[in-house]
Amino acid sequence: METMSWGAELWDQFDSLEKHTQWGIEFLDRYTKFIKERCEIEVNYAKQIRNLSKKYQPKKSLREEEESKYTSCRAFLATLNELTDYAGQHEVIAENLTAKIVSELGRYIQDLKAERKSHFHDGRKAQQHMENAWKQLESSKRRFERDCREADRARQHFEKMDADINVTKADVEKARLQAQMRAQIAEDSKSEYSSCLENFNQEQNQHYHTLLPLIFQRIQEMEERRVEQVGVCMKTFAEVERQVLPIVGTCLDEMSRAAESIQPKADSQQVVECYKSGFEPPGDVEFEDYGLKRTASDSNLSHTRSRSKSKLWPFIKRNRGSGSEDLSHLPPEQRRKRLQAKIQDIGRHLQKELDEKEALTKMKDVYQKSPQMGDPSSVEPRLAEICENIDRLRLEAQKFEGWLAEEEGRLPVKSDPPRKQSGPYGTKNSSSCGQDRESPDGSYTEDQNLEMQQRSQSNEMADKFEDEEPLPAISTCKVLYPFEGQTEGTMSVSEGELLHMIEEDKGDGWTRVRRNDEEEGYVPTSYIQVFLDNSGQDS
């Protein structure tokens, strides 16, 4: 399997790689500890072996979920699962595991720590060199700026003295010599700055395209050897079991296959997928001329300094601040993956709520048909709660889907009108939470008194139509979903129908519309899409 180069893909993730390689050593330490405790338990009863497997099962945490992305971690988990079938182990297994794995891993971990320390020392040394070169370039540029300002002032002073008839020739000559001297100093500073800039750009190019990729390649090779070593140890673990426990050969075969499934290249590529930011390396710094004929204002100098300070090197630790809800503090690739994971998680919770709603709805139907089996009203509070949860999860899903669309560059100028959920947020049972006790806009009515209040409000709507003069249309709207107006004051509409909006939503979830200057009524606001003009076109 062809792997990606860390130097090309993770050039700005030095700190992340440092944490990842440290985690790799901790993983080996944890695996070594696992083998040691396994050896202690082997001399005891089979129950102790099962307890060991249970103890090292990964916890349901974000860290463990991240670990499960790597083949070596998944192989370790498979090994633990196979351990539950072991019984009747004896001390020979413990002796072999101690000699062939614990001792070997102990020596390997010490060598790995020394090698890792050397590579990251080289990285920090390269970082310090680039920082010193940058400081030298900044110092040269500031000197050039200062000399240009002084030369410009000396020139202006000479021109003033030369134009003044009351000044002696000696003073004029002195001012002229001073202006020439300052001009020469500025020219020398310009040459020095130009040379320093050229050297810096050469060193920066060598840093990002030669030295840094070499350091990252060594770190990548070290990490792949570590992953391979994990596979060797896990296979040895299985082979030791095979020698003394032929009756559990099937379980050991599974362990061996788990160890052989480890792919260092795949794990290496997974590191790229986990940590790459999607940013590009910085380009060369452009030359900024501060010649004699140009007056360097304070604002321009301040602007130059602010641009210079904006350069970030891959080794400099960045303070990303506290995470925001839309994950905008993350790099593009990481934000997209986190948003996708969040949407999937919401989808799982939503499907669970939909399944429970379907079950409760069926239970309520059974109670209504057979009252002796239970009271239908007993499930209504829970059904109402589930409906609220479903609405909340759908809104939350829409919010994260919008952020994901924005990240992928497909978010429209205006937010899309509300639509019925489909796919992972669809419902297997589209029945209402309370059957006849659900209002046309999907809100759930808690009791019969609220239903009577809604019917009373509908009657008031009808009375208003009889007493009021026809209202002018203020905009056009399009029906997104069909609606059956079953109460007075409401109006039945069909999907795709164009209507005139004559009264906006007052906050109660209803909008007053008219059809062909004849029929008027209220429809749920969430069932229509309002246009900003009367032409029926989206704004």
Side-chain angles (χ1 to χ4, degrees):
M1 181 178 182
E2 185 178 357
T3 184
M4 297 181 180
S5 171
W6 287 10
E9 298 293 335
L10 303 176
W11 66 272
D12 59 345
Q13 295 296 316
F14 193 83
D15 292 338
S16 298
L17 291 181
E18 185 177 16
K19 294 178 182 178
H20 175 76
T21 52
Q22 177 61 32
W23 166 84
I25 294 177
E26 293 172 358
F27 178 80
L28 287 180
D29 287 332
R30 187 153 62 99
Y31 184 75
T32 303
K33 183 181 177 183
F34 158 74
I35 298 296
K36 290 180 180 179
E37 293 193 22
R38 169 70 192 275
C39 293
E40 295 173 0
I41 294 175
E42 284 294 338
V43 298
N44 299 321
Y45 194 62
K47 180 180 178 180
Q48 293 174 308
I49 297 179
R50 297 186 180 94
N51 290 338
L52 178 66
S53 177
K54 182 178 179 180
K55 176 179 179 180
Y56 279 89
Q57 289 288 336
K59 303 297 186 299
K60 301 297 183 181
S61 64
L62 179 60
R63 177 179 174 83
E64 298 296 343
E65 290 178 1
E66 291 294 327
E67 290 183 9
S68 66
K69 296 178 180 179
Y70 301 99
T71 58
S72 57
C73 300
R74 293 196 295 267
F76 180 47
L77 178 59
T79 301
L80 291 176
N81 293 334
E82 291 298 329
L83 280 178
T84 57
D85 296 335
Y86 281 16
Q89 312 294 344
H90 46 76
E91 294 179 348
V92 175
I93 298 175
E95 294 174 359
N96 291 337
L97 291 178
T98 300
K100 296 182 178 181
I101 295 182
V102 175
S103 300
E104 290 294 329
L105 271 183
R107 290 189 291 269
Y108 179 78
I109 289 174
Q110 294 302 319
D111 295 338
L112 183 62
K113 289 180 178 179
E115 182 181 359
R116 176 182 177 275
K117 182 178 179 181
S118 175
H119 293 329
F120 284 95
H121 173 75
D122 293 340
R124 292 191 178 86
K125 184 177 179 180
Q127 169 202 5
Q128 187 62 43
H129 178 74
M130 287 303 302
E131 290 177 350
N132 292 338
W134 177 256
K135 291 178 181 178
Q136 184 177 359
L137 176 63
E138 285 285 78
S139 177
S140 176
K141 184 172 67 172
R142 286 194 297 268
R143 189 183 310 110
F144 177 38
E145 295 173 8
R146 183 181 64 252
D147 292 341
C148 285
R149 289 196 301 268
E150 291 178 355
D152 191 49
R153 284 196 295 267
R155 178 183 57 80
Q156 293 177 357
H157 178 68
F158 165 69
E159 292 175 353
K160 181 179 179 181
M161 296 283 289
D162 188 49
D164 192 348
I165 60 176
N166 298 322
V167 178
T168 64
K169 291 185 178 180
D171 291 337
V172 172
E173 182 65 15
K174 181 179 179 181
R176 185 182 65 80
L177 294 175
Q178 182 69 16
Q180 290 179 349
M181 181 187 68
R182 290 297 180 183
Q184 184 61 41
I185 293 175
E187 188 65 27
D188 294 340
S189 297
K190 179 179 180 180
S191 300
E192 180 185 354
Y193 171 53
S194 178
S195 175
C196 188
L197 178 63
E198 182 179 358
N199 293 336
F200 175 82
N201 285 333
Q202 291 177 354
E203 291 181 1
Q204 179 180 248
N205 184 72
Q206 183 181 9
H207 177 79
Y208 284 110
H209 298 286
T210 302
L211 182 59
L212 191 64
L214 179 61
I215 295 174
F216 275 32
Q217 180 183 356
R218 292 172 180 172
I219 296 174
Q220 181 177 359
E221 294 172 352
M222 176 194 70
E223 181 65 7
E224 291 176 357
R225 289 196 302 271
R226 179 193 68 81
V227 176
E228 184 178 7
Q229 182 67 23
V230 173
V232 172
C233 291
M234 288 186 179
K235 189 169 185 179
T236 302
F237 175 86
E239 295 301 326
V240 168
E241 295 282 345
R242 192 185 305 278
Q243 295 173 6
V244 296
L245 297 175
I247 61 174
V248 294
T250 302
C251 296
L252 293 174
D253 289 337
E254 294 296 326
M255 290 184 181
S256 182
R257 281 193 286 270
E260 291 171 353
S261 68
I262 294 178
Q263 303 179 25
K265 300 294 184 181
D267 283 10
S268 180
Q269 187 169 355
Q270 186 62 50
V271 174
V272 174
E273 294 298 326
C274 287
Y275 298 118
K276 69 178 180 180
S277 64
F279 297 128
E280 295 292 335
D284 291 345
V285 179
E286 297 181 358
F287 177 80
E288 297 171 8
D289 193 359
Y290 292 89
L292 296 178
K293 295 183 179 181
R294 176 185 174 185
T295 302
S297 63
D298 294 338
S299 60
N300 289 337
L301 297 179
S302 175
H303 178 65
T304 301
R305 287 193 291 269
S306 65
R307 282 204 312 271
S308 301
K309 293 180 179 179
S310 66
K311 300 289 184 182
L312 293 176
W313 310 109
F315 300 107
I316 299 178
K317 295 184 177 180
R318 306 171 187 176
N319 182 14
R320 297 186 182 276
S322 58
S324 57
E325 184 184 9
D326 61 357
L327 305 177
S328 58
H329 62 288
L330 295 176
E333 283 290 329
Q334 305 302 320
R335 184 190 184 204
R336 179 179 61 82
K337 294 178 182 178
R338 291 281 294 276
L339 288 173
Q340 289 176 340
K342 183 66 176 178
I343 291 173
Q344 293 176 357
D345 184 61
I346 294 174
R348 288 191 293 267
H349 285 84
L350 180 58
Q351 190 59 53
K352 181 179 178 181
E353 295 289 339
L354 291 170
D355 293 341
E356 187 173 355
K357 171 188 172 182
E358 181 180 4
L360 287 176
T361 303
K362 291 180 179 179
M363 182 185 298
K364 182 180 178 182
D365 292 340
V366 172
Y367 288 169
Q368 288 176 340
K369 295 176 181 178
S370 304
Q372 67 275 12
M373 298 184 64
D375 182 9
S377 61
S378 63
V379 300
E380 290 180 357
R382 177 55 183 163
L383 197 57
E385 181 182 353
I386 292 175
C387 287
E388 292 178 359
N389 292 339
I390 290 174
D391 291 339
R392 176 181 55 80
L393 288 171
R394 282 175 172 167
L395 289 175
E396 190 173 358
Q398 282 186 339
K399 177 174 62 176
F400 280 93
E401 285 174 343
W403 288 333
L404 179 60
E406 176 188 1
E407 184 60 44
E408 294 177 348
R410 56 181 177 84
L411 189 66
V413 178
K414 278 180 66 74
S415 299
D416 293 336
R419 302 182 184 276
K420 292 183 177 178
Q421 298 294 336
S422 60
Y425 308 114
T427 171
K428 295 188 295 183
N429 179 13
S430 59
S431 59
S432 63
C433 297
Q435 290 185 348
D436 294 337
R437 297 178 61 189
E438 187 176 3
S439 61
D441 62 346
S443 60
Y444 182 71
T445 306
E446 300 259 343
D447 51 40
Q448 297 292 339
N449 291 333
L450 290 179
E451 289 186 12
M452 297 301 295
Q453 292 177 5
Q454 287 184 349
R455 293 195 179 104
S456 176
Q457 291 175 357
S458 298
N459 293 335
E460 292 177 2
M461 294 177 187
D463 294 339
K464 288 180 180 180
F465 294 148
E466 296 177 359
D467 298 337
E468 295 177 357
E469 291 294 331
L471 296 175
I474 58 178
S475 64
T476 307
C477 61
K478 180 180 179 181
V479 179
L480 300 176
Y481 318 115
F483 170 68
E484 295 292 336
Q486 299 178 351
T487 58
E488 294 186 25
T490 61
M491 186 174 72
S492 299
V493 292
S494 303
E495 182 177 356
E497 186 177 0
L498 291 177
L499 303 172
H500 298 290
M501 186 179 75
I502 57 177
E503 187 175 324
E504 296 180 350
D505 188 346
K506 302 300 184 181
D508 57 359
W510 295 87
T511 300
R512 187 173 175 181
V513 297
R514 178 188 299 139
R515 178 189 292 120
N516 298 330
D517 296 331
E518 297 176 356
E519 184 181 358
E520 295 182 3
Y522 283 89
V523 295
T525 304
S526 58
Y527 278 48
I528 62 174
Q529 178 184 1
V530 179
F531 303 112
L532 295 183
D533 55 30
N534 291 327
S535 62
Q537 300 294 328
D538 270 317
S539 59

